[in-house]
Amino acid sequence: MQLRYNYRLYPDSGQQASLARAFGCARVVFNDGLRARQEAREQGLAYISDGELSRRLITEAKQTPQRAWLGEVSAVVLQQALADLNTAYRNFFASITGKRKGRRVAPPRFRSRKDNRQAVRFTKNSRFAVLDNGRLRLPKVGDVPVRWSRALPSVPSSVTVIRDAAGRYFASFVVQATDAPLPPVDSEVGIDLGLTHFAVLSDGTKVAAPKFLRRAARKLRRLQQDLARKQRGSRNRKKAVVKVARAHARVADTRRDWQHKLSTTIIRDNQAVYVEDLCVTGLGRTRLARSVHDAGWSQFVAMLEYKAARYGRTFGRVDRWFPSTRMCSDCGRVNDKMTLDVRSWDCPCGSHHDRDVNAARNIRAAGRADLNDRGAQVRPGPVPAPRREAVTHPDVACSTRSVEGISAL
């Protein structure tokens, strides 16, 4: 399994200038490649191949006065920028032809130097190295100090240097990590994600929603008001933009750390984990959009999925149209739709249900039925028909021919 390990970088002023130069050159090569293919399409010419694009925009462009400064950065950075463009085109073509599932992918667009996030990628061909003194050696950049929070499990195949909106630098290593199965346990859990409680487990455990963005709303409001008062294009406005970005980054980092701890605990304590396949994109367009994005359901489910694959656990998704909330987990009866303010309800069979706990139990049962061989009972089982439904009514029109083809009269 391939994983990413992120570490904080602390480049000095000279190294920051070199990285800024690398960001700009990669952006220019990407935009030149996109422009060349768009012009070829408008003129009715053939699609420019990857090799031809690399020869024109990198090898030959370095020999011209207009693009001579491309030689100041590593050639691997420029090649990887074109590789990103080719990947974007392949994803777009696969999406419009139906080979790629999911949402429709838009065609690639031009990169802007005003984007808050800039990144370049170094592969093994660039001969980057992790030195014995703990620094990261990048070609034509130098030895950059790294804050090693943990050791790399193996030799990295590539490293991506990222500068985020808050002005922080990160090194993202791609490594090949071996699976580390955990000791098997007997418990299985279904998880119902929500807003009042972030997660409700089928065993009755309720995890309160931290609401990191709501808690930081007062500080963010004050910083954004200060930003709105600054004159556009001024240095003070740029400083205010960085302050707002740092506040948002602190919220995102806190949420990510909390979700990592919770997902690790759930995977460690359960042999199988089942969740509901929610349409977060659609819920993000409703009046609850801020709360939905603050919860971070998609990120949490992704953590559960890859950790289950790494640690030898079972992970399953239940169809989003499965009536987990309205179905009685005891008798299987599907009741009428309920509004969000109904937190508990009674089934005609006599069972009293907490709305979220009942949904988590149904999700666990549906996940078991889909992924294991035991065939857990999700729908109500067969029951004897009432006497009035089991008899033959003489006034009902019957067929004039029997099954064997002989007349029934």
Side-chain angles (χ1 to χ4, degrees), residues 80-120:
Q80 292 302 309
L82 290 182
D84 293 340
L85 176 64
N86 299 331
T87 301
Y89 265 111
R90 292 190 184 96
N91 292 338
F92 170 65
F93 293 147
S95 178
I96 61 178
T97 56
K99 296 180 181 179
R100 180 187 176 96
K101 298 181 180 180
R103 299 178 59 189
R104 183 66 62 88
V105 177
R109 59 183 182 180
F110 292 99
R111 293 180 178 178
S112 173
R113 63 182 179 86
K114 296 182 181 180
D115 288 343
N116 294 329
R117 184 182 183 276
Q118 301 287 339
V120 291

Side-chain angles (χ1 to χ4, degrees), residues 58-79:
I58 299 179
T59 306
E60 296 180 355
K62 289 181 181 180
Q63 310 300 326
T64 62
Q66 295 80 8
R67 292 289 187 267
W69 35 264
L70 291 177
E72 299 178 3
V73 301
S74 174
V76 175
V77 171
L78 308 181
Q79 293 288 352

